[in-house]
Amino acid sequence: MTSVPRIALNSGHRIPQLGFGVFQIPPAEAEEAVTSALELGYRHIDTAAIYGNEDGVGAAIAHSGIPREELFVTTKLWNDKQAGDAPHDAIRASLEKLGLQYVDLYLTHWPTPEKDTFSHAWEKLIEIRDAGLSRSIGVSNHLPEHLDRIVKDTGVTPAVDQIELHPAHQQSDVLAWASEHGMHIESWGPLGQGKYPLFETPAVAEAAASHEVSPAQVVLRWNLQRGIIVFPKSSHRERMAQNLDVFGFELTADEVSRIDALDPGDGSGRVGGHPLEVN
Ligand code: NAD
């Protein structure tokens, strides 16, 4: 079975660098998809309260018989639960659905800057960590200005920032912040969510041909070689297996830099919501 490297987070806990994401997997299909993923060897699952499938994830975990300490489970606090004590109620509701005593990583899903509650939410996540309900805590979709603010307000640096990251949208400013502060980056939408012709791009297609792997495997490998944590989503077992099978080849420095060069540099490669506009 594939052995996925684990990366040490600033909490001291270790995260498998490759996992399985379950965004847009319907609740009724989540148990089957996660069961397949666990059978194939995935040990890191990325879900969120808003995905509506935490109970399917939990059922798959319960039926798997895999010891809890071998698994790494992430879930996220939705945007309308940032104020007051709502984060405490939200993590308890997520744990109930997941059938777990704790998650490995709990994230603030978006900064929603208009509401200006993200820093308060971060204080609540610190309490949640201290209460033992999440081993590590982090954020998602936070820009350097949001990261600066929460660190200034609390003195606590997130373990990760989970951001949209693929060859056409690389967010080098967030990556620079992360390396300066000892935070890790998780990539969401690593395959561009299939929304642009990434796999046909010569830099990707030619590397795939040269290593006799698929373009998706090249893009995942590019993330891994840059130290980024990644959890592609697929409902198809063959693709799940393929996405996990990315440790038997290595891109050359030239192949990596050709893919690095695919970001237009003006933010136009974004395929999801803008962190300043999701409120
Ligand atoms: P992704 O880039 O992983 O794309 C998924 C799509 O790529 C699939 O639906 C499938 O069509 C295609 N695909 C997958 N494997 C393939 C293969 N081997 N060959 C060809 N096509 C393949 O997009 P995603 O699911 O949005 O992102 C991954 C995970 O990131 C999510 O499941 C979720 O856990 C997380 N996420 C987080 C946020 C956030 O705001 N924090 C937002 C979106 C996603």
Side-chain angles (χ1 to χ4, degrees):
M1 195 173 276
T2 307
S3 168
V4 175
R6 287 182 178 242
I7 289 185
L9 300 173
N10 65 10
S11 58
H13 295 286
R14 283 153 30 100
I15 184 170
Q17 197 184 354
L18 182 85
F20 182 62
V22 299
F23 178 47
Q24 289 178 328
I25 299 189
E29 292 165 30
E31 180 177 353
E32 192 186 333
V34 174
T35 296
S36 289
L38 295 174
E39 284 170 2
L40 288 165
Y42 287 91
R43 291 293 178 267
H44 165 187
I45 308 294
D46 184 272
T47 185
I50 195 67
Y51 302 168
N53 55 21
E54 288 170 311
D55 45 3
V57 172
I61 289 172
H63 296 149
S64 73
I66 297 169
R68 176 67 185 91
E69 60 274 15
E70 285 181 24
L71 296 170
F72 193 101
V73 181
T74 299
T75 194
K76 313 184 190 88
L77 174 72
W78 188 238
N79 302 344
D80 61 357
K81 303 278 192 292
Q82 290 183 355
D85 270 336
H88 285 285
D89 297 336
I91 183 67
R92 287 184 192 285
S94 285
L95 289 172
E96 170 90 30
K97 288 186 182 138
L98 289 163
L100 299 177
Q101 305 291 315
Y102 66 91
V103 286
D104 295 281
L105 182 60
Y106 197 45
L107 307 179
T108 318
H109 209 140
W110 289 87
T112 64
E114 247 172 46
K115 290 205 275 285
D116 197 21
T117 46
F118 63 91
S119 188
H120 170 82
W122 182 239
E123 281 173 33
K124 294 289 155 183
L125 260 62
I126 295 166
E127 293 173 11
I128 284 166
R129 179 199 63 189
D130 292 347
L133 301 179
S134 185
R135 293 263 155 107
S136 304
I137 50 173
V139 296
S140 180
N141 299 301
H142 280 43
L143 300 176
E145 67 199 74
H146 308 123
L147 295 163
D148 283 338
R149 164 87 182 277
I150 63 175
V151 173
K152 179 167 132 310
D153 289 355
T154 66
V156 178
T157 302
V160 305
D161 190 359
Q162 182 179 126
I163 56 172
E164 179 185 334
L165 198 163
H166 44 82
H169 192 57
Q170 297 181 25
Q171 307 221 45
S172 54
D173 54 342
V174 186
L175 268 61
W177 195 99
S179 76
E180 198 180 315
H181 292 81
M183 180 183 77
H184 282 280
I185 294 288
E186 296 189 333
S187 150
W188 68 253
L191 305 174
Q193 297 185 323
K195 288 183 178 164
Y196 67 100
L198 171 62
F199 296 163
E200 292 82 48
T201 307
V204 173
E206 287 168 23
S210 146
H211 293 278
E212 297 182 352
V213 295
S214 74
Q217 288 172 305
V218 166
V219 177
L220 296 173
R221 186 72 214 168
W222 170 76
N223 271 290
L224 295 171
Q225 287 185 213
R226 298 166 94 229
I228 287 165
I229 299 157
V230 68
F231 26 81
K233 172 246 160 185
S234 177
S235 303
H236 305 286
R237 198 177 164 101
E238 330 73 70
R239 283 180 173 177
M240 288 182 200
Q242 188 193 106
N243 294 345
L244 189 59
D245 183 19
V246 287
F247 298 96
F249 69 102
E250 176 127 6
L251 299 175
T252 64
D254 182 52
E255 287 166 337
V256 169
S257 53
R258 282 186 76 200
I259 301 175
D260 288 348
L262 296 176
D263 188 331
D266 58 2
S268 61
R270 185 188 298 280
V271 300
H274 193 296
L276 297 179
E277 288 161 11
V278 174
N279 276 291

